Amino acid sequence: MSIGNSPEDERPFEDVSEEARPSVGRALQQARIAAGLTVDDVSTATRVRIAVVHAIEADDFAPCGGDVYARGHIRTLAKAVNLDPAPLIAQYEAEHGGGRPAPTPAAPLFEAERIRPERRGPNWTAAMVAAIVVVIGFVGFTMVKGGDDGGKENVADGIAPTESASPTPKTKKPADPKPEPSDSAIAAAPQDKVTVQVSAADGRSWISAKDHNGRLLFDGLLKQGESKTFQDSSKINLVLGDAGAIDLFVNGKKIEDDFQPGSVERLTYTKGDPQAG
C-alpha cells in the first residue's frame, strides 16, 4: 500500500489558476463595475462604440474588426477602468492563438465612428443662417418703406417754404409759445383761490394733482407741449414724475426752482406767494 498523493492531487496548480482566472471581457466588466462606471461612461471616455464595449465584455471580439483592433480596444478599455492592459492582451493572444491575421481595412470602422457625432441633432448652423437672412430682409424692407414715407414728408415740407419765407425747422417747436397766453390767463384768475398751471415744456412727465380735501383732480401722463391748470379755494398738492421737464406757474408767477431731469418732486402751493412744501 503506497502512501502519497493521489493522481488528482498531482494536477499542476497552473490549471487551477487558469480556470479561476476570469476571461478578458469578464475582467474588464468587473473592473468597470468596481470603478462605478457605466458602459455609456466608458464609451464616452474612450470613444469606443457602446455596442463594441458590450461585445468585448461578453468576450465577443468580432465587432472589433480583427486582432489588431481587438488588442487596441482592450488596451483602451483597461486604462479607462484602471487595469494593467499587458496581462489582458497576453491572455487574449493566448486564447486566440496569438496570430495576427490580416487587418480589416480601417476606413469602414472609423468612418462609422466619425459619422456618429454628426447625427446627434439638427443642423443649427443652417437654421441660424436662415433666421439671419429673414431678419436682414425684414429690416431692409422696413428701411425702404420708411424712406418712401420720409420722402413724401420731405416733399410736403418743401412746398410750404415757397409760400412763406420762414425756414422749415422753425415750424417744429409748438411747445415754446404755449406758456405765455396761459400765464396771462393765470394772472386774471381770482385772488381768493390758488391757481397752478403745469406745462410739459422739455418732455413728457407723469403728474398727479389733488385739492385741499385730497380729492384727485388729475392723474396721468402729460405729453410734451401739453398743459394742465388746477384751481382750489386754499391748496393744490402736486406730484411730478419728471420735474426737470415741467414749467410751473403759480398764481400768475413762474416757479424758478432748479428741478433736475428725472427727479420726482412732491409740492404744495397755496394762496399768496408760491410756497413749495
Side-chain angles (χ1 to χ4, degrees), residues 23-173:
S23 65
V24 174
R26 180 62 176 169
L28 291 172
Q29 184 184 49
Q30 290 176 348
R32 174 180 60 77
I33 295 173
L37 300 174
T38 65
V39 173
D40 289 348
D41 296 334
V42 173
S43 176
T44 301
T46 62
R47 298 189 66 80
V48 177
R49 289 174 295 172
I50 294 177
V52 176
V53 176
H54 279 297
I56 291 175
E57 290 187 352
D59 292 310
D60 179 10
F61 299 96
C64 296
D67 290 340
V68 175
Y69 303 111
R71 284 190 288 270
H73 287 329
I74 291 171
R75 181 180 294 105
T76 301
L77 296 178
K79 291 180 179 179
V81 296
N82 301 319
L83 281 182
D84 183 7
L88 295 177
I89 294 174
Q91 182 179 351
Y92 170 81
E93 292 178 349
E95 292 175 355
H96 292 78
R100 292 176 177 267
T104 303
L109 178 64
F110 293 102
E111 182 178 357
E113 293 183 3
R114 287 196 301 268
I115 293 174
R116 180 187 172 194
E118 298 177 1
R119 297 177 180 175
R120 291 180 180 175
N123 191 342
W124 293 111
T125 302
M128 290 178 64
V129 171
I132 291 172
V133 170
V134 172
V135 172
I136 292 175
F138 176 78
V139 172
F141 173 78
T142 304
M143 293 177 64
V144 171
K145 184 176 181 181
D148 292 342
D149 294 341
K152 294 178 181 179
E153 292 177 1
N154 291 337
V155 171
D157 291 340
I159 295 174
T162 59
E163 299 178 359
S164 62
S166 60
T168 302
K170 293 184 179 179
T171 61
K172 296 182 179 180
K173 293 185 178 180

